[in-house]
Short mmCIF file of all heavy atoms in Angstrom, two decimals:
data_model
loop_
_atom_site.label_atom_id
_atom_site.label_comp_id
_atom_site.label_asym_id
_atom_site.label_seq_id
_atom_site.Cartn_x
_atom_site.Cartn_y
_atom_site.Cartn_z
N SER A 1 110.38 96.38 87.07
CA SER A 1 109.62 97.28 86.21
C SER A 1 108.63 96.45 85.42
O SER A 1 108.96 95.53 84.71
CB SER A 1 110.56 98.01 85.27
OG SER A 1 109.87 98.97 84.51
N ILE A 2 107.31 96.84 85.51
CA ILE A 2 106.25 96.09 84.85
C ILE A 2 105.51 97.05 83.92
O ILE A 2 105.07 98.15 84.33
CB ILE A 2 105.23 95.53 85.89
CG1 ILE A 2 105.98 94.69 86.94
CG2 ILE A 2 104.17 94.68 85.20
CD1 ILE A 2 105.11 94.21 88.07
N ALA A 3 105.41 96.65 82.66
CA ALA A 3 104.70 97.48 81.67
C ALA A 3 103.22 97.59 82.06
O ALA A 3 102.63 96.65 82.57
CB ALA A 3 104.83 96.88 80.28
N ASP A 4 102.68 98.82 81.82
CA ASP A 4 101.29 99.07 82.24
C ASP A 4 100.30 98.13 81.53
O ASP A 4 99.26 97.78 82.09
CB ASP A 4 100.91 100.52 81.94
CG ASP A 4 101.14 101.39 83.15
OD1 ASP A 4 101.82 100.95 84.09
OD2 ASP A 4 100.67 102.56 83.19
N LYS A 5 100.61 97.73 80.32
CA LYS A 5 99.68 96.84 79.59
C LYS A 5 99.53 95.51 80.29
O LYS A 5 98.53 94.80 80.07
CB LYS A 5 100.13 96.65 78.15
CG LYS A 5 101.44 95.90 77.99
CD LYS A 5 101.78 95.76 76.54
CE LYS A 5 103.08 95.00 76.33
NZ LYS A 5 103.45 94.86 74.89
N LEU A 6 100.48 95.16 81.14
CA LEU A 6 100.39 93.93 81.91
C LEU A 6 99.55 94.10 83.15
O LEU A 6 99.02 93.14 83.72
CB LEU A 6 101.79 93.43 82.27
CG LEU A 6 101.91 92.01 82.86
CD1 LEU A 6 101.45 90.98 81.85
CD2 LEU A 6 103.36 91.74 83.26
N LEU A 7 99.44 95.35 83.63
CA LEU A 7 98.73 95.64 84.87
C LEU A 7 97.33 96.25 84.68
O LEU A 7 96.39 95.89 85.40
CB LEU A 7 99.56 96.60 85.76
CG LEU A 7 100.92 96.08 86.27
CD1 LEU A 7 101.66 97.21 86.96
CD2 LEU A 7 100.71 94.91 87.23
N PHE A 8 97.24 97.18 83.76
CA PHE A 8 96.01 97.96 83.61
C PHE A 8 95.54 98.03 82.17
O PHE A 8 96.37 97.98 81.22
CB PHE A 8 96.19 99.39 84.12
CG PHE A 8 96.82 99.50 85.48
CD1 PHE A 8 98.17 99.81 85.62
CD2 PHE A 8 96.09 99.29 86.62
CE1 PHE A 8 98.75 99.92 86.87
CE2 PHE A 8 96.65 99.40 87.86
CZ PHE A 8 98.00 99.70 87.99
N LYS A 9 94.26 98.25 81.97
CA LYS A 9 93.76 98.61 80.67
C LYS A 9 94.02 100.10 80.48
O LYS A 9 94.26 100.84 81.40
CB LYS A 9 92.26 98.34 80.59
CG LYS A 9 91.92 96.84 80.63
CD LYS A 9 90.39 96.63 80.55
CE LYS A 9 90.06 95.15 80.56
NZ LYS A 9 88.59 94.88 80.48
N SER A 10 93.98 100.56 79.22
CA SER A 10 94.29 101.94 78.91
C SER A 10 93.36 102.90 79.67
O SER A 10 92.15 102.76 79.64
CB SER A 10 94.13 102.20 77.39
OG SER A 10 94.39 103.54 77.09
N GLY A 11 93.98 103.84 80.36
CA GLY A 11 93.26 104.84 81.12
C GLY A 11 92.62 104.33 82.40
O GLY A 11 91.91 105.06 83.09
N SER A 12 92.87 103.04 82.77
CA SER A 12 92.28 102.49 83.95
C SER A 12 93.28 102.34 85.07
O SER A 12 94.50 102.32 84.87
CB SER A 12 91.69 101.09 83.64
OG SER A 12 91.24 100.43 84.84
N TYR A 13 92.79 102.29 86.32
CA TYR A 13 93.66 102.06 87.46
C TYR A 13 93.24 100.79 88.23
O TYR A 13 93.62 100.58 89.35
CB TYR A 13 93.68 103.27 88.40
CG TYR A 13 92.35 103.78 88.82
CD1 TYR A 13 91.64 103.21 89.87
CD2 TYR A 13 91.76 104.86 88.14
CE1 TYR A 13 90.40 103.67 90.24
CE2 TYR A 13 90.54 105.34 88.53
CZ TYR A 13 89.84 104.76 89.57
OH TYR A 13 88.62 105.24 89.95
N VAL A 14 92.48 99.93 87.55
CA VAL A 14 92.04 98.67 88.12
C VAL A 14 93.01 97.57 87.67
O VAL A 14 93.22 97.39 86.47
CB VAL A 14 90.61 98.30 87.68
CG1 VAL A 14 90.22 96.96 88.29
CG2 VAL A 14 89.63 99.39 88.11
N VAL A 15 93.63 96.87 88.63
CA VAL A 15 94.61 95.82 88.32
C VAL A 15 93.89 94.63 87.73
O VAL A 15 92.89 94.14 88.28
CB VAL A 15 95.38 95.42 89.59
CG1 VAL A 15 96.38 94.31 89.26
CG2 VAL A 15 96.08 96.62 90.17
N ASN A 16 94.36 94.11 86.57
CA ASN A 16 93.72 92.98 85.92
C ASN A 16 94.18 91.67 86.54
O ASN A 16 95.13 91.61 87.34
CB ASN A 16 93.97 92.99 84.41
CG ASN A 16 95.45 92.92 84.05
OD1 ASN A 16 96.18 92.15 84.67
ND2 ASN A 16 95.89 93.71 83.11
N GLU A 17 93.51 90.60 86.16
CA GLU A 17 93.77 89.29 86.76
C GLU A 17 95.14 88.75 86.45
O GLU A 17 95.79 88.12 87.28
CB GLU A 17 92.68 88.30 86.30
CG GLU A 17 91.31 88.58 86.84
CD GLU A 17 91.26 88.56 88.37
OE1 GLU A 17 91.95 87.66 88.98
OE2 GLU A 17 90.62 89.42 88.97
N ARG A 18 95.63 88.99 85.22
CA ARG A 18 96.96 88.49 84.85
C ARG A 18 98.03 89.13 85.72
O ARG A 18 98.99 88.49 86.15
CB ARG A 18 97.26 88.78 83.38
CG ARG A 18 98.59 88.22 82.90
CD ARG A 18 98.96 88.69 81.55
NE ARG A 18 100.32 88.28 81.19
CZ ARG A 18 101.04 88.80 80.20
NH1 ARG A 18 100.48 89.76 79.44
NH2 ARG A 18 102.23 88.37 79.93
N ALA A 19 97.86 90.42 86.04
CA ALA A 19 98.81 91.15 86.86
C ALA A 19 98.88 90.55 88.26
O ALA A 19 99.95 90.52 88.89
CB ALA A 19 98.50 92.60 86.91
N LYS A 20 97.73 90.10 88.78
CA LYS A 20 97.71 89.58 90.14
C LYS A 20 98.62 88.34 90.26
O LYS A 20 99.20 88.08 91.31
CB LYS A 20 96.29 89.26 90.53
CG LYS A 20 95.44 90.51 90.73
CD LYS A 20 94.03 90.16 91.14
CE LYS A 20 93.19 91.43 91.32
NZ LYS A 20 91.78 91.13 91.66
N GLU A 21 98.71 87.56 89.13
CA GLU A 21 99.60 86.41 89.15
C GLU A 21 101.05 86.82 89.33
O GLU A 21 101.79 86.27 90.12
CB GLU A 21 99.42 85.60 87.86
CG GLU A 21 100.30 84.37 87.77
CD GLU A 21 100.17 83.66 86.44
OE1 GLU A 21 99.27 84.02 85.64
OE2 GLU A 21 100.97 82.74 86.20
N VAL A 22 101.46 87.84 88.58
CA VAL A 22 102.83 88.37 88.69
C VAL A 22 103.07 88.97 90.05
O VAL A 22 104.09 88.72 90.69
CB VAL A 22 103.11 89.40 87.56
CG1 VAL A 22 104.48 90.02 87.75
CG2 VAL A 22 102.97 88.78 86.20
N LEU A 23 102.11 89.76 90.51
CA LEU A 23 102.25 90.41 91.82
C LEU A 23 102.29 89.37 92.95
O LEU A 23 102.92 89.60 94.00
CB LEU A 23 101.11 91.42 92.05
CG LEU A 23 101.12 92.65 91.16
CD1 LEU A 23 99.88 93.51 91.39
CD2 LEU A 23 102.41 93.47 91.34
N GLY A 24 101.62 88.25 92.74
CA GLY A 24 101.65 87.20 93.74
C GLY A 24 103.07 86.65 93.92
O GLY A 24 103.52 86.33 95.05
N LYS A 25 103.82 86.56 92.81
CA LYS A 25 105.20 86.06 92.88
C LYS A 25 106.08 87.09 93.55
O LYS A 25 106.98 86.75 94.34
CB LYS A 25 105.71 85.76 91.45
CG LYS A 25 104.97 84.59 90.81
CD LYS A 25 105.45 84.37 89.39
CE LYS A 25 104.70 83.20 88.73
NZ LYS A 25 105.17 82.99 87.35
N VAL A 26 105.86 88.36 93.28
CA VAL A 26 106.59 89.44 93.91
C VAL A 26 106.34 89.44 95.42
O VAL A 26 107.26 89.53 96.25
CB VAL A 26 106.23 90.81 93.30
CG1 VAL A 26 106.89 91.92 94.11
CG2 VAL A 26 106.64 90.89 91.87
N ALA A 27 105.04 89.26 95.81
CA ALA A 27 104.69 89.24 97.21
C ALA A 27 105.39 88.10 97.96
O ALA A 27 105.82 88.25 99.11
CB ALA A 27 103.17 89.12 97.36
N LYS A 28 105.52 86.97 97.31
CA LYS A 28 106.18 85.81 97.92
C LYS A 28 107.61 86.14 98.27
O LYS A 28 108.08 85.82 99.38
CB LYS A 28 106.11 84.61 96.96
CG LYS A 28 106.78 83.34 97.52
CD LYS A 28 106.69 82.21 96.50
CE LYS A 28 107.37 80.98 97.03
NZ LYS A 28 107.32 79.88 96.05
N VAL A 29 108.33 86.79 97.36
CA VAL A 29 109.75 87.15 97.61
C VAL A 29 109.83 88.22 98.70
O VAL A 29 110.66 88.15 99.58
CB VAL A 29 110.41 87.60 96.33
CG1 VAL A 29 111.85 88.07 96.60
CG2 VAL A 29 110.44 86.48 95.28
N VAL A 30 108.94 89.26 98.58
CA VAL A 30 109.01 90.34 99.58
C VAL A 30 108.70 89.80 100.99
O VAL A 30 109.34 90.21 101.97
CB VAL A 30 107.99 91.44 99.18
CG1 VAL A 30 107.88 92.49 100.31
CG2 VAL A 30 108.40 92.10 97.89
N ASN A 31 107.75 88.93 101.10
CA ASN A 31 107.43 88.37 102.43
C ASN A 31 108.56 87.55 102.99
O ASN A 31 108.62 87.37 104.22
CB ASN A 31 106.16 87.50 102.28
CG ASN A 31 104.91 88.33 102.14
OD1 ASN A 31 104.86 89.46 102.62
ND2 ASN A 31 103.89 87.78 101.49
N SER A 32 109.47 87.04 102.14
CA SER A 32 110.60 86.26 102.66
C SER A 32 111.73 87.12 103.18
O SER A 32 112.69 86.64 103.73
CB SER A 32 111.12 85.33 101.53
OG SER A 32 111.75 86.10 100.50
N LYS A 33 111.59 88.45 102.98
CA LYS A 33 112.63 89.40 103.41
C LYS A 33 112.01 90.39 104.39
O LYS A 33 111.56 91.50 104.00
CB LYS A 33 113.21 90.14 102.20
CG LYS A 33 113.77 89.24 101.13
CD LYS A 33 114.95 88.45 101.60
CE LYS A 33 115.49 87.53 100.47
NZ LYS A 33 116.62 86.69 100.91
N PRO A 34 111.91 90.02 105.66
CA PRO A 34 111.22 90.89 106.63
C PRO A 34 111.90 92.25 106.85
O PRO A 34 111.26 93.17 107.35
CB PRO A 34 111.23 90.07 107.93
CG PRO A 34 112.37 89.11 107.77
CD PRO A 34 112.43 88.82 106.30
N ASN A 35 113.17 92.38 106.52
CA ASN A 35 113.88 93.65 106.73
C ASN A 35 113.88 94.58 105.52
O ASN A 35 114.66 95.52 105.45
CB ASN A 35 115.33 93.38 107.13
CG ASN A 35 115.43 92.67 108.48
OD1 ASN A 35 114.62 92.90 109.38
ND2 ASN A 35 116.41 91.79 108.64
N PHE A 36 113.01 94.27 104.54
CA PHE A 36 112.95 95.08 103.35
C PHE A 36 111.60 95.76 103.22
O PHE A 36 110.57 95.22 103.72
CB PHE A 36 113.23 94.24 102.11
CG PHE A 36 114.67 93.93 101.91
CD1 PHE A 36 115.34 93.02 102.72
CD2 PHE A 36 115.40 94.57 100.91
CE1 PHE A 36 116.69 92.77 102.53
CE2 PHE A 36 116.74 94.32 100.74
CZ PHE A 36 117.41 93.42 101.56
N GLU A 37 111.58 96.90 102.56
CA GLU A 37 110.34 97.62 102.27
C GLU A 37 110.06 97.54 100.76
O GLU A 37 110.97 97.24 99.97
CB GLU A 37 110.45 99.08 102.71
CG GLU A 37 110.54 99.27 104.20
CD GLU A 37 110.65 100.71 104.61
OE1 GLU A 37 111.35 101.49 103.88
OE2 GLU A 37 110.13 101.09 105.66
N CYS A 38 108.82 97.84 100.41
CA CYS A 38 108.41 97.73 99.03
C CYS A 38 107.68 99.02 98.62
O CYS A 38 106.63 99.35 99.16
CB CYS A 38 107.48 96.50 98.86
SG CYS A 38 106.92 96.24 97.19
N MET A 39 108.28 99.74 97.66
CA MET A 39 107.64 100.99 97.18
C MET A 39 107.13 100.76 95.77
O MET A 39 107.88 100.34 94.87
CB MET A 39 108.68 102.13 97.20
CG MET A 39 108.04 103.44 96.71
SD MET A 39 109.15 104.87 96.92
CE MET A 39 110.41 104.47 95.66
N VAL A 40 105.85 101.07 95.59
CA VAL A 40 105.22 100.98 94.26
C VAL A 40 105.22 102.36 93.64
O VAL A 40 104.66 103.31 94.18
CB VAL A 40 103.77 100.42 94.36
CG1 VAL A 40 103.16 100.38 92.99
CG2 VAL A 40 103.78 99.05 95.00
#
């Protein structure tokens, strides 16, 4: 669970640069588990 203030500006749906760092770590773990799905 990621707070919106870490991902988006208020009222925006554009992912900010700080969020991409966190999402990069999530992607690394997800890619290591080929039998798992990822729902946002």
Side-chain angles (χ1 to χ4, degrees):
S1 185
I2 306 174
D4 267 14
K5 66 181 180 179
L6 190 63
L7 295 174
F8 311 101
K9 291 181 180 180
S10 179
S12 173
Y13 51 83
V14 178
V15 178
N16 61 43
E17 291 301 320
R18 183 190 172 195
K20 290 180 180 179
E21 179 184 352
V22 175
L23 293 175
K25 295 177 180 181
V26 173
K28 180 180 178 181
V29 175
V30 172
N31 285 332
S32 69
K33 305 294 180 184
N35 295 326
F36 282 73
E37 294 179 323
C38 181
M39 181 173 69
V40 179

